[in-house]
Amino acid sequence: MNPHSKIACCVVALGVASAACTMGVRGHSAPLPANQYTTDANITRVTTKILERSQFAHHPLDAQLATRFLDNFLDSLDATHSLFLPADLDSFAPYRATLAQATRDSGDTSAERAIVARYLERLQQRASYVAQVLRTEPFVFTGHERFSFDREHAERPRDASAAQALWHEQLRAEYLQEKLSSDVQPEQIATKLAARYARQVRTMKGLDSGEVLDVYLNALAHVYDPHSDYLGHEELASLSSAMNLSLVGIGASLESVEGYAKIRELLPGGPAALSGRLKPGDRIVAVAQTGKDAVDIGNMPLAHAVTLIRGPKGTSVTLSIIPAGNPDGSVPEKIALVRDEIKLEDEAASARIVDLPTEKGGTLRLGVLDLPSFYADMGDHTASTRRSATVDVARLLAKLQAEKVRALILDLRRNGGGSLNEAISLTGLFIHQGPVVQTRGPAGDVEVDSDKDATEQYDGPLIVLTSRSSASASEILTGALQDYGRALVVGDSSTFGKGTVQSILPLAAVMDQAGFSHTYDPGALKVTIRKFYRPSGGSTQLRGVKSDIVLPSTTDFDEVSEAALKDPLPWDTVAPVPHEQFDWVAPYVSALRAKSAQRVASEKGFAELQGDAARLKMDLATKSVSLNEAERRQELSATKARTHERDSAIAAAANVRPKTYSIKLEDTSVPGLPPAIDFTTADAAGKASDAMDGEPARHKPGTDVILSEAEHILGDYQELSSHEPAAARPAVH
């Protein structure tokens, strides 16, 4: 069956083809050309039908969901609750009673157009007010006021006067941010800010109806869950480029969250990952091309933001970012990147061999497998040329075993997921055979996916190292190995908690089959269709996989998790399935925690991490920043001093790192080991490491205190445990 035929079957099953084709026209203040309006209306109707019938929640668009839909759209335009007034909301109130039926029956988008018209009006008013203030106010920051940047649930300004007071406060905060930036001259600040506000008005007024519809239907999709998205034709084209591995850019996938372009995932081997300065959850607030002023992308449609970031290979782009975990009012960091082409080969797994000194004076040879994603080459290849995470990890494992590695760390800290099949087959390298993951569909049907290979490649001591960035397929593998009692999980308190499955449905074939006309490519709908469950029955949704041993980290915040997203699907359970129970972890966890806690308490690198984490946690709880310039400069000076002290500690730590060898895939066919990494060289904390190129400086060999502690935990684990040989299998429970 060809893909279009498959889609057509889905359309009929969803009942889209039986929907009424008559378009109702109700009170359109500024009607679009008939063909454009008809296309928008048809896309809206089909999107609604699919979300109702195929999305996991399986919920019709009723009055309650329609109210949330309208609120989502308002917030997508005005995330800081600083533009729309209560009077505006009162004028939109009549739509709440009719929106569900109008959207479902006729695809009526008159609410969208009325709201956007008012939004543009308020946006222009703000830009005019800001320009006037910038011309007349001296901007002195000697008082003790604070700016509260967290306005997600704040009251909207009661009238125009209150709105201007809020705009003034926001402007002062932005002005001070620019003043604190070392590359901005004081006399340029007013001009820069005025241009930023004027540019936002021009950008938003220049959007065509299709681009506005993208925002509107995303607000509808997100009523169901945060991972269901409407992909307009431009965004779908970008996704197709990424899937074909021919994307030229920075190597990051973005999502629009509360007015920010937020990094969802980094592609290993891409410029963003190789910089070591970007991570999932970072918010991009401005984009600058070489020799040009930065363009503010706050509240900009994602497709426009992506267009600014993407560009020809070899060209430079500078991003202004607020790091994940930092409060919204933080001074943005500027990161310059050179765009490049991202290929599957750049995402390959790699390994290291570490000769860890023991307390008894000997050495214990450990292996570290770094897996950036569960990748799979979908092309037509023979078994000998096929590239996949499982094939590559198996090759690396064989090399590590040939070099007499006695214990292993599987590092998934930056692995955001990938192929489900790869997660299952790769889990099979570490277990005899059995269930790996359960998936449940909207109708309640549960399928069990198992490793059916009766052999395992590695049966020695195993640690899975995770972080809040470990998501989806990473959580499947980690949860299964934890359920089997096969691996000790170390890292952040839990993984991300994304336990859902999405499917992308191109809408053109759907609309053609249903008889709905369209004058342009209608894009696609990414819809959540299933949920993941562990062999023990618990979902990975929301709760993720909890670590057996938790290490201090600057990423371990609730704000970096599925639970922090708006309207996530709930955690639940299904019946457990029989699986092997290895008693290889539980007997030793208490002792391993105690030993690790002693080291962490005395390790200076962890003291730095804990200090950074405590400051971030305090900033997140405070949700405001001082508008006193002297106080802010003192804070920046203290941060710079801490950074210098940390860099000195990192350089000193590099001198005492155990002998470490970097193993790439090309090394697996070469006898012996390459020269050991020299951590004492000038760039040992940076480019000298080719085994962990995608990690920040503190996460590279010689500087990564979390990995170093995981190695010591593994050494303790090896010493304490007494594993059964592969032939002695435990009973199935």
Side-chain angles (χ1 to χ4, degrees):
M1 177 181 289
N2 66 56
H4 284 189
S5 299
K6 200 168 189 178
I7 290 170
C9 292
C10 292
V11 174
V12 175
L14 291 171
V16 176
S18 62
C21 293
T22 304
M23 299 292 124
V25 180
R26 309 174 188 176
H28 303 108
S29 55
L32 297 167
N35 58 350
Q36 179 72 64
Y37 167 68
T38 301
T39 297
D40 290 352
N42 286 346
I43 293 173
T44 301
R45 294 170 67 189
V46 171
T47 296
T48 304
K49 294 286 186 184
I50 294 172
L51 286 170
E52 288 182 321
R53 304 292 181 86
S54 63
Q55 201 274 345
F56 188 87
H58 215 62
H59 198 297
L61 181 63
D62 56 15
Q64 182 181 9
L65 288 189
T67 292
R68 284 168 48 198
F69 169 25
L70 195 68
D71 289 339
N72 279 358
F73 185 54
L74 291 168
D75 286 345
S76 65
L77 297 174
D78 182 21
T80 60
H81 288 196
S82 60
L83 290 172
F84 291 126
L85 309 178
D88 297 328
L89 270 60
D90 290 343
S91 69
F92 305 146
Y95 289 111
R96 295 185 185 275
T98 61
L99 185 61
Q101 184 174 356
T103 303
R104 299 176 75 228
D105 294 350
S106 64
D108 184 355
T109 57
S110 56
E112 167 218 291
R113 296 195 297 281
I115 291 170
V116 168
R118 186 66 55 85
Y119 165 72
L120 293 175
E121 181 183 338
R122 299 297 184 212
L123 205 62
Q124 181 62 66
Q125 290 171 355
R126 184 176 68 176
S128 299
Y129 173 78
V130 164
Q132 178 186 352
V133 173
L134 288 169
R135 287 193 300 268
T136 58
E137 185 166 319
F139 285 92
V140 177
F141 301 97
T142 56
H144 299 288
E145 71 267 38
R146 298 185 67 85
F147 172 63
S148 178
F149 51 81
D150 181 21
R151 293 190 51 80
E152 181 183 358
H153 303 294
E155 295 289 331
R156 299 183 187 275
R158 64 182 180 278
D159 53 28
S161 177
Q164 289 184 350
L166 178 57
W167 298 341
H168 185 266
E169 186 181 16
Q170 291 173 331
L171 179 61
R172 281 178 55 78
E174 291 181 35
Y175 196 104
L176 180 56
Q177 275 192 353
E178 294 294 340
K179 197 172 184 182
L180 294 172
S181 299
S182 59
D183 60 343
V184 179
Q185 298 300 317
E187 62 272 13
Q188 298 175 332
I189 295 176
T191 301
K192 181 177 181 179
L193 289 175
R196 176 187 298 173
Y197 278 86
R199 187 186 303 115
Q200 185 181 17
V201 174
R202 289 196 304 273
T203 298
M204 299 309 292
K205 285 186 174 180
L207 298 181
D208 62 36
S209 66
E211 291 169 316
V212 176
L213 187 68
D214 291 358
V215 181
Y216 188 63
L217 293 184
N218 253 321
L220 171 60
H222 291 168
V223 162
Y224 288 89
D225 77 286
H227 300 292
S228 290
D229 296 307
Y230 170 71
L231 310 172
H233 56 277
E234 289 187 9
E235 193 172 354
L236 181 60
S238 297
L239 180 63
S240 297
S241 294
M243 294 299 288
N244 289 332
L245 301 170
S246 60
L247 177 65
V248 173
I250 66 168
S253 63
L254 307 179
E255 59 185 336
S256 182
V257 179
E258 296 177 0
Y260 288 107
K262 190 174 183 180
I263 295 178
R264 175 183 288 178
E265 180 184 3
L266 298 179
L267 295 180
L274 291 175
S275 75
R277 298 184 62 192
L278 289 164
K279 59 184 177 298
D282 289 348
R283 289 147 288 171
I284 303 173
V285 296
V287 181
Q289 314 300 331
T290 303
K292 296 183 179 180
D293 290 337
V295 176
D296 182 84
I297 62 172
N299 290 307
M300 181 181 289
L302 193 60
H304 274 238
V306 169
T307 299
L308 290 173
I309 295 169
R310 187 175 300 156
K313 180 178 180 179
T315 59
S316 297
V317 62
T318 299
L319 309 179
S320 297
I321 67 136
I322 298 176
N326 283 23
D328 288 357
S330 304
V331 175
E333 299 178 7
K334 292 182 171 58
I335 298 174
L337 301 170
V338 177
R339 300 174 176 106
D340 202 354
E341 188 170 2
I342 295 91
K343 293 287 190 182
L344 179 61
E345 287 74 13
D346 297 323
E347 300 185 28
S350 59
R352 289 181 302 286
I353 291 175
V354 180
D355 287 337
L356 184 73
T358 65
E359 294 179 357
K360 298 178 180 179
T363 59
L364 174 65
R365 177 156 284 187
L366 308 177
V368 180
L369 276 168
D370 178 49
L371 184 64
S373 68
F374 290 91
Y375 53 88
D377 190 342
M378 304 303 292
D380 185 15
H381 296 274
T382 64
S384 61
T385 62
R386 187 173 70 89
R387 295 293 304 278
S388 78
T390 304
V391 170
D392 290 348
V393 167
R395 288 173 59 192
L396 291 166
L397 268 176
K399 176 66 174 177
L400 297 183
Q401 290 169 315
E403 299 299 334
K404 309 302 182 185
V405 161
R406 296 178 59 196
L408 183 70
I409 294 173
L410 178 59
D411 192 345
L412 301 181
R413 285 177 294 171
R414 58 195 180 109
N415 190 317
S419 165
L420 173 61
N421 289 336
E422 287 300 313
I424 295 167
S425 60
L426 203 146
T427 302
L429 298 178
F430 305 105
I431 63 173
H432 183 227
Q433 63 181 9
V436 174
V437 63
Q438 303 185 72
T439 57
R440 183 165 71 90
D445 54 305
V446 177
E447 294 182 4
V448 180
D449 291 304
S450 300
D451 166 49
K452 296 181 172 59
D453 188 341
T455 62
E456 63 198 312
Q457 184 166 349
Y458 174 78
D459 66 352
L462 175 64
I463 281 178
V464 179
L465 189 57
T466 62
S467 74
R468 291 280 188 171
S469 296
S470 307
S472 195
S474 287
E475 297 172 292
I476 290 170
L477 177 143
T478 305
L481 293 180
Q482 189 178 63
D483 282 354
Y484 277 70
R486 177 64 186 87
L488 182 74
V489 181
V490 176
D492 287 352
S493 58
S494 73
T495 54
F496 186 81
K498 182 183 181 294
T500 57
V501 188
Q502 286 72 42
S503 179
I504 296 178
L505 182 65
L507 294 181
V510 175
M511 294 178 68
D512 292 343
Q513 175 70 16
F516 288 157
S517 62
H518 52 94
T519 57
Y520 60 84
D521 183 355
L525 188 65
K526 185 177 73 169
V527 59
T528 298
I529 57 171
R530 312 195 79 187
K531 286 178 75 173
F532 290 134
Y533 299 84
R534 295 163 59 154
S536 59
S539 175
T540 56
Q541 174 66 9
L542 284 189
R543 299 187 183 183
V545 180
K546 298 190 180 303
S547 289
D548 299 305
I549 299 178
V550 178
L551 299 179
S553 165
T554 55
T555 61
D556 196 4
F557 294 102
D558 290 341
E559 287 78 7
V560 186
S561 69
E562 177 84 2
L565 301 179
K566 197 171 183 179
D567 297 321
L569 292 178
W571 178 86
D572 60 350
T573 64
V574 296
V577 291
H579 57 280
E580 288 181 320
Q581 294 284 288
F582 299 86
D583 197 23
W584 291 358
V585 174
Y588 315 108
V589 170
S590 294
L592 293 172
R593 281 178 185 156
K595 284 176 169 284
S596 177
Q598 289 179 344
R599 283 189 297 268
V600 168
S602 62
E603 170 61 53
K604 187 173 183 180
F606 277 116
E608 296 282 355
L609 277 180
Q610 289 170 319
D612 288 347
R615 282 182 288 273
L616 285 173
K617 190 170 292 186
M618 184 179 297
D619 288 341
L620 288 168
T622 305
K623 299 184 184 298
S624 65
V625 292
S626 170
L627 293 185
N628 182 288
E629 183 175 351
E631 289 179 8
R632 293 286 291 280
R633 290 195 182 279
Q634 187 175 7
E635 291 172 3
L636 289 174
S637 178
T639 299
K640 186 177 294 186
R642 286 193 301 270
T643 301
H644 176 73
E645 184 178 357
R646 181 166 57 240
D647 289 346
S648 298
I650 285 173
N655 292 319
V656 295
R657 276 290 297 163
K659 184 174 288 187
T660 303
Y661 305 89
S662 173
I663 308 295
K664 292 279 199 164
L665 284 166
E666 54 265 30
D667 299 323
T668 59
S669 58
V670 179
L673 293 173
I677 299 173
D678 183 0
F679 294 120
T680 63
T681 57
D683 68 349
K687 296 178 182 177
S689 168
D690 58 0
M692 286 284 283
D693 282 341
E695 286 296 285
R698 69 167 60 178
H699 289 167
K700 291 180 180 290
T703 68
D704 185 348
V705 294
I706 293 175
L707 178 60
S708 179
E709 175 55 25
E711 292 167 0
H712 282 91
I713 293 171
L714 186 58
D716 293 339
Y717 184 24
Q718 163 68 21
E719 183 178 353
L720 289 171
S721 63
S722 176
H723 291 283
E724 300 178 61
R729 289 294 157 199
V732 175
H733 296 277

